[in-house]
Amino acid sequence: QVQLVESGGGSAQTGGSLRLSCVASEYPRGAYCLAWFRQAPGKEREGVATIYTGTHATDYDDSVKGRFTISRDNFTTHSLQMDSLEPEDTAIYYCAATAAGSGYWCRLQGPTAQPSNYDYWGQGTQVTVSS
């Protein structure tokens, strides 16, 4: 069973930066979608960024393009660098992972963007951006 542990998060001013990291206990053989989701109060959980380990291809939600960067730092760690933060970025951020045969399953548009497609989840970390 893959276990994910997040670190980072906290508070920032508008325009500031934060970095989140996610460490996995292991990733059994094969390729994976590694992702970051977020959930704001009263809203559904939404995908923010994904990276496919097979090709390192990335995908981003339109709301964070150009501001957030997802990376795979090593075999068991992926991170989310968040720059130019806005109050609308305030949410609980979750890292997630799932085995994937191709990068198609990492797309953040359509059915592949659903949280139910991901098998492994971190516990969540709060990000608060003040104006």
Side-chain angles (χ1 to χ4, degrees), residues 54-97:
T55 61
H56 287 214
T58 59
D59 197 14
Y60 296 91
D61 184 77
D62 286 344
S63 65
V64 306
K65 280 181 181 176
R67 300 189 299 120
F68 290 11
T69 303
I70 189 171
S71 62
R72 191 185 190 194
D73 303 329
N74 56 51
F75 188 75
T76 57
T77 303
H78 69 283
S79 298
L80 185 69
Q81 178 66 38
M82 304 184 292
D83 298 319
S84 302
L85 283 164
E86 303 169 353
E88 293 73 21
D89 296 319
T90 296
I92 298 174
Y93 283 71
Y94 299 88
C95 64

